[in-house]
Amino acid sequence: MSRSSRSDDIRAAALKLFTQLGYGATTMADIGAVVGIRGPSLYKHVASKQDLLVQIMTGTMENLLGQHRMAVATTDDPTERLRRATEAHVRYHARHRLEAFVGNREIRSLEEPHRGAVLARRAEYEACFRDLVDAGVAADRFRVASVRLASFAILDLGMGVAVWFREDGELKEDTVVWEYGEFALRIVGAAPRP
């Protein structure tokens, strides 16, 4: 097994255990047991449990920011940009529920300077949505009392999906993504899609 593959397995085990037990209750020995490595041998692959949490949380924010940039890159239309950004946000949360759970619950477990860095990336991500809403208001395409509140409401759509969505559930991912894109447009008072 390659070092990269082993590191991926360790990260996946940590993510699962942080979700099930919480960061504080998870030990390196627990993580090692899941991947079949004795606790002390894990340190050949990862510096610490904190390092695993940092990898998960910073990776999640980098992925969200990257997906956002790709979603809005090919259009200047404010309505279409917001729809695409929301759909990317919701799709990511449907596919990465564990990361969303750990990201929301374990921010308090991050040590500085990592906590500050993750909070800064979260603020940057929220600002991306706020800028989209603001651009739609400026173009007279959206009508909201508070741009910031609208951006928070749209972000909550994706975070909520991470709580209840299941791949084998009644609703399919594409249906949820499309409908939530519509919900975001309603939040900002945009004209519905034809």
Side-chain angles (χ1 to χ4, degrees), residues 13-91:
L15 177 63
K16 182 178 179 183
L17 290 168
F18 293 166
T19 302
Q20 292 173 343
L21 306 174
Y23 174 81
T26 300
T27 66
M28 288 297 274
D30 295 332
I31 296 167
V34 171
V35 294
I37 299 176
R38 293 181 55 103
S41 297
L42 279 177
Y43 292 102
K44 293 178 183 174
H45 303 281
V46 65
S48 66
K49 183 173 80 165
Q50 180 70 193
D51 188 53
L52 286 166
L53 183 61
V54 169
Q55 287 176 29
I56 291 165
M57 295 184 82
T58 58
T60 297
M61 290 315 305
E62 291 303 318
N63 289 333
L64 282 166
L65 285 160
Q67 292 294 317
H68 177 86
R69 289 182 193 109
M70 287 190 328
V72 301
T74 60
T75 182
D76 291 327
D77 179 80
T79 303
E80 186 64 15
R81 286 170 63 89
L82 181 62
R83 182 189 63 78
R84 289 181 187 182
T86 302
E87 289 182 351
H89 176 69
V90 170
R91 190 175 303 280

Side-chain angles (χ1 to χ4, degrees), residues 133 136-137 139-147 150 185-190:
V133 175
V137 169
D140 201 29
R141 301 282 293 278
F142 304 160
R143 295 195 186 343
V144 296
S146 167
V147 169
L185 297 181
R186 288 185 200 136
I187 287 169
V188 298

Side-chain angles (χ1 to χ4, degrees), residues 82 119-120 122-135 137 142-156 159 187-188:
L82 181 62
L119 289 173
R122 284 183 174 188
E124 178 184 352
Y125 189 61
E126 185 275 327
C128 290
F129 280 87
R130 194 171 354 111
D131 291 347
L132 291 175
V133 175
D134 200 36
V137 169
F142 304 160
R143 295 195 186 343
V144 296
S146 167
V147 169
R148 185 173 210 121
L149 188 58
S151 70
F152 287 151
I154 293 165
L155 288 170
D156 279 348
M159 291 184 286
I187 287 169
V188 298

Side-chain angles (χ1 to χ4, degrees), residues 83-180:
R83 182 189 63 78
R84 289 181 187 182
T86 302
E87 289 182 351
H89 176 69
V90 170
R91 190 175 303 280
Y92 183 87
H93 282 79
R95 292 181 179 178
H96 300 278
R97 294 187 323 272
L98 298 183
E99 288 90 338
F101 182 81
V102 169
N104 286 325
R105 185 174 78 177
E106 298 297 349
I107 189 71
R108 69 186 186 277
S109 299
L110 277 176
E111 297 168 2
E112 291 298 348
H114 306 295
R115 181 184 299 128
V118 168
L119 289 173
R121 297 306 261 172
R122 284 183 174 188
E124 178 184 352
Y125 189 61
E126 185 275 327
C128 290
F129 280 87
R130 194 171 354 111
D131 291 347
L132 291 175
V133 175
D134 200 36
V137 169
D140 201 29
R141 301 282 293 278
F142 304 160
R143 295 195 186 343
V144 296
S146 167
V147 169
R148 185 173 210 121
L149 188 58
S151 70
F152 287 151
I154 293 165
L155 288 170
D156 279 348
L157 292 174
M159 291 184 286
V161 165
V163 173
W164 63 263
F165 182 79
R166 298 294 176 266
E167 292 85 5
D168 59 352
E170 174 186 343
L171 297 170
K172 299 302 173 211
E173 179 183 303
D174 287 340
T175 301
V176 172
V177 166
W178 192 89
E179 287 291 342
Y180 274 52

